Amino acid sequence: MKKLPFASGKISMLHIMIVMLSMVLTFSAWQFSKNQSESRIEQRFNASRDRIVGLIQDRMLKYEDALQAGVAAMESHEGNMTLDQWRVFATHLRIDEKYPGINGIGVIHFLSDQTLGAYLEQRRAERPGFEIFPPHEQDIYMPISFIEPEDINAAAVGLDVAHELNRRSAALASRDTGDAHISGPIVLVQDANATSGFLFYAPFYRGDLPGGAAERRERIIGVVYAPFVMRNLLGGLLAKDLRHTSISISDSGQKIYDEHSSVEERHDPAPMFTDTVNLDVYGRTWSLDIRSNLAFRNDNTYSQPTMILVGGLVIEALILSLLILMVRANRKAVAYADEVTKELRTEKQKLVRTNEELEQFAYAASHDLKTPIRGISGLTEMIKEDLEDYLSSPGANPEISMSLDLILDRVQRMNDLTTGIIEFSRIGVQAGDCGPLHLCELVASLTSDFKLKPHQIVLESPVNEICTDPVSLRRVIENLVGNSVKYHGSPDQLSIAITCRETPNSLEFSVKDNGPGIAPKFQRRIFEMFQTLRTGDAPESTGIGLAIVKKAIEVNGGQVRLESTPGNGTTFHFQWPKQAASLGPIEAGIAA
């Protein structure tokens, strides 16, 4: 009789290596899933960051379009629109609807000492009491002539932007280049909260567009401009409650907008991601500090890696528990057997009974493990049912369903393993009744069970019906055929030949396939418990099937051997006791 695994009372090095390898695979799967999840989340942050940058660029281009519309209106009036004409233009522009975030749109004229008097006379005819302020020592005047809507920008009418460096330098740069420019950080006179803002300029000239800086200075009339408060600009750009990122903007080291304060509702003190983007904006460089906020964190938590790790560790714990339980059980059983053997060495019948008790003990140990396995499977199914509405929703995370399926798969493997151990332990415990077995019917049944085509299994035998233990023999042939089906690389090309030859004392069976074959160094190992030659893309196996074959054959007094070379298929040979005469011959070579 084959010695049972764990009979020494110790976990073998092979089993330790299997458990360690399984744990390595579990942690590798967890790490891979974690890295994949983190990569996807980082991509979402990058997309959110790029969206913010793109929105700012697109919005500034749209604001420039509004300024250029004003330039076109001024040039259509040869640079000399009246206050009423400008109001009509601004009203039709509908900046409050089309250009959210802008404070208004107006006109600044460039004046010298020679043109100042005529300018004041014209403005005061439109608006009595018009004055230019504040006084300064520059040799140029740049008063704000018009600004609409005027009700919220009245404090800016008459303001001479030449009095302050940031306002003046951006306006002069716009004049000299002919391009739109924004100013450095300023505080708008009409902003009661005195927060950071800037001015946006687009120049217009007398006649056609001048060709050089000197000509532009000579023919400049003024600029169409728009004042901005940064908080209004960003609010019009994208409301904070719709974003998963917070942003701060600096210009030349001066912070002009900040959402990173701890008083912000969605502030994350330890953001998952941060990035800095330098953005060239109409002659200025804005430094954007973009960080993920609490909304991003809440929407991008991931549970799949944790579920894989927990599920894997649970399975590893079950496997380890099984090994420990069997070691302890066999240690006790072996100790008991030794004691009985010493006392009853001469009583062979009692020794056989003791061995049967050992087999029963292994059966009971494996059978008892099925209860927690069923519990885990049932609990997982309940979780899937509870989450059914969520998993079928469009916004469901598909990785949760994959993780639950992975747990069920591992539980099924544990169930297959314990079932195999139970089947192995019961071989020989209860002898099967002797009865007829029809080989043709057996082959036809195997063809159906393994979903093969009739020509793929061929029976060659001079006999059809034999009297034997039909359950045991069927188990042996089923396992050998199943082994051929499982490990064949191309199922449609599979070919199996089953032969039965009668000798005086036994029946000689062989099961031959055209599969990949087995290397000589593995041919002894495959009949041992938990041994499998499974490759990475082959079906998962418990490693018990051929051990069951070997034990069933040996219990019935036979021997099993194999012939195989890699690439040339495998043939298993075994003897089976001939308990009664053959009952009916058939022609050799019949196909199932």
Side-chain angles (χ1 to χ4, degrees):
M1 176 177 288
K2 179 177 173 63
K3 187 177 181 181
L4 286 173
F6 309 105
S8 64
K10 298 179 181 179
I11 298 178
S12 70
M13 182 58 66
L14 175 61
H15 297 131
I16 293 175
M17 291 177 64
I18 291 174
V19 172
M20 292 181 64
L21 178 60
S22 182
M23 293 188 68
V24 168
L25 292 176
T26 296
F27 279 100
S28 297
W30 166 73
Q31 187 64 46
F32 176 79
S33 177
K34 181 173 179 289
N35 291 340
Q36 289 292 99
S37 296
E38 289 176 349
S39 177
R40 286 192 293 270
I41 293 173
E42 184 175 5
Q43 290 173 6
R44 292 171 192 155
F45 171 77
N46 291 339
S48 182
R49 174 204 63 197
D50 294 342
R51 183 179 180 221
I52 288 291
V53 173
L55 284 172
I56 292 176
Q57 292 174 321
D58 292 345
R59 186 57 58 86
M60 294 303 293
L61 286 172
K62 192 171 183 181
Y63 292 148
E64 183 189 3
D65 289 343
L67 296 183
Q68 296 298 345
V71 168
M74 291 298 297
E75 290 177 345
S76 69
H77 290 76
E78 298 181 350
N80 191 26
M81 291 181 72
T82 65
L83 175 60
D84 290 338
Q85 289 172 332
W86 183 257
R87 283 174 175 167
V88 170
F89 163 75
T91 300
H92 285 83
L93 194 61
R94 301 203 308 272
I95 61 173
D96 56 336
E97 300 176 16
K98 295 185 176 181
Y99 305 97
I102 197 172
N103 264 47
I105 187 167
V107 177
I108 296 173
H109 285 92
F110 284 39
L111 306 170
S112 64
D113 289 331
Q114 291 76 22
T115 59
L116 181 61
Y119 170 82
L120 288 173
E121 182 177 350
Q122 182 180 7
R123 296 285 83 79
R124 287 169 181 169
E126 298 170 336
R127 187 187 283 112
F130 178 87
E131 294 291 342
I132 297 176
F133 68 95
H136 56 80
E137 298 180 356
Q138 304 297 320
D139 58 357
I140 189 172
Y141 303 92
M142 302 178 190
I144 298 174
S145 304
F146 315 133
I147 179 69
E148 293 294 334
E150 188 172 314
D151 54 347
I152 62 173
N153 294 289
V157 176
L159 176 70
D160 189 346
V161 299
H163 83 281
E164 188 268 328
L165 177 62
N166 282 350
R167 291 176 170 88
R168 181 176 68 252
S169 59
L172 295 177
S174 180
R175 174 199 69 183
D176 293 346
T177 62
D179 298 325
H181 273 261
I182 66 171
S183 71
I186 63 170
V187 175
L188 301 182
V189 295
Q190 61 266 46
D191 182 9
N193 295 318
T195 56
S196 292
F198 64 92
L199 301 182
F200 198 175
Y201 303 109
F204 58 94
Y205 304 88
R206 288 187 296 276
D208 296 334
L209 183 65
E215 188 179 356
R216 294 188 187 104
R217 294 189 189 101
E218 180 181 349
R219 291 169 51 189
I220 186 70
I221 299 176
V223 293
V224 177
Y225 93 106
F228 289 88
V229 176
M230 287 300 299
R231 69 174 185 277
N232 295 339
L233 170 66
L234 270 294
L237 182 69
L238 185 60
K240 288 187 288 186
D241 58 354
L242 299 179
R243 284 189 273 122
H244 285 181
T245 55
S246 61
I247 182 173
S248 73
I249 303 177
S250 299
D251 185 334
S252 299
Q254 179 179 346
K255 190 166 290 186
I256 57 177
Y257 183 76
D258 186 18
E259 293 177 352
H260 297 334
S261 171
S262 59
V263 300
E264 293 285 344
E265 181 180 358
R266 298 190 174 192
H267 172 70
D268 189 345
M272 297 174 68
F273 297 97
T274 64
D275 199 2
T276 300
V277 179
N278 291 323
L279 186 63
D280 292 329
V281 186
Y282 295 97
R284 305 293 298 183
T285 299
W286 286 356
S287 179
L288 280 59
D289 180 4
I290 303 173
R291 306 177 186 179
S292 59
N293 60 19
L294 288 179
F296 182 90
R297 181 182 294 276
N298 293 336
D299 287 351
N300 289 281
T301 55
Y302 50 91
S303 59
Q304 185 208 19
T306 301
M307 294 181 68
I308 289 176
L309 180 61
V310 172
L313 291 177
V314 168
I315 300 301
E316 304 309 329
L318 287 174
I319 294 175
L320 188 59
S321 298
L322 173 63
L323 295 176
I324 293 174
L325 180 62
M326 294 188 72
V327 166
R328 291 179 177 176
N330 280 281
R331 184 184 296 124
K332 294 178 180 179
V334 169
Y336 175 70
D338 288 342
E339 180 180 349
V340 172
T341 301
K342 290 178 183 179
E343 295 177 357
L344 306 174
R345 189 176 303 273
T346 59
E347 300 184 25
K348 182 178 180 180
Q349 184 177 4
K350 291 185 178 181
L351 180 58
V352 171
R353 186 169 60 250
T354 300
N355 289 332
E356 292 176 350
E357 291 174 357
L358 292 177
E359 299 276 7
Q360 184 64 31
F361 195 93
Y363 167 82
S366 297
H367 186 272
D368 290 343
L369 282 175
K370 282 185 169 289
T371 299
I373 291 173
R374 284 195 297 269
I376 294 172
S377 177
L379 178 59
T380 305
E381 291 289 351
M382 290 174 62
I383 293 174
K384 288 192 68 174
E385 292 178 2
D386 292 340
L387 296 178
E388 182 177 0
D389 292 341
Y390 168 76
L391 295 176
S392 61
S393 66
N397 184 349
E399 296 171 349
I400 294 177
S401 180
M402 291 170 58
S403 299
L404 293 174
D405 291 339
L406 177 61
I407 292 175
L408 288 174
D409 183 68
R410 298 298 292 273
V411 168
Q412 182 59 44
R413 171 159 169 75
M414 283 295 298
N415 187 65
D416 293 342
L417 185 63
T418 54
T419 299
I421 293 173
I422 291 172
E423 184 178 359
F424 182 87
S425 65
R426 298 303 293 167
I427 293 175
V429 174
Q430 293 180 347
D433 295 331
C434 181
L437 176 65
H438 295 268
L439 295 181
C440 285
E441 293 179 2
L442 171 60
V443 172
S445 174
L446 293 176
T447 303
S448 174
D449 290 345
F450 292 104
K451 297 180 175 59
L452 299 175
K453 297 176 182 178
H455 69 272
Q456 289 186 274
I457 301 184
V458 175
L459 172 64
E460 298 177 359
S461 173
V463 296
N464 176 29
E465 183 176 332
I466 58 177
C467 184
T468 182
D469 176 0
V471 174
S472 295
L473 181 56
R474 181 184 182 92
R475 177 190 291 134
V476 170
I477 297 178
E478 274 184 348
N479 273 285
L480 293 176
V481 172
N483 203 62
S484 298
V485 173
K486 182 182 298 182
Y487 293 104
H488 198 283
S490 303
D492 292 338
Q493 304 298 321
L494 173 64
S495 176
I496 300 174
I498 302 175
T499 64
C500 175
R501 185 172 60 90
E502 187 177 6
T503 67
N505 299 317
S506 66
L507 297 173
E508 299 286 340
F509 283 88
S510 69
V511 178
K512 179 180 180 180
D513 64 46
N514 63 343
I518 302 172
K521 63 180 179 179
F522 299 120
Q523 292 181 8
R524 291 179 60 86
R525 288 174 49 193
I526 61 173
F527 293 105
E528 298 176 2
M529 285 281 285
F530 308 115
Q531 297 297 314
T532 177
L533 303 183
R534 175 179 179 266
T535 59
D537 58 350
E540 194 165 14
S541 171
T542 60
I544 298 177
L546 291 180
I548 291 174
V549 167
K550 186 173 186 292
K551 183 177 180 182
I553 292 172
E554 291 180 348
V555 165
N556 282 275
Q559 295 292 325
V560 61
R561 62 183 178 86
L562 68 88
E563 296 175 356
S564 179
T565 56
N568 294 315
T570 302
T571 302
F572 288 90
H573 301 276
F574 65 92
Q575 302 87 35
W576 197 261
K578 186 172 60 173
Q579 299 181 10
S582 300
L583 302 179
I586 63 173
E587 293 182 2
I590 189 170

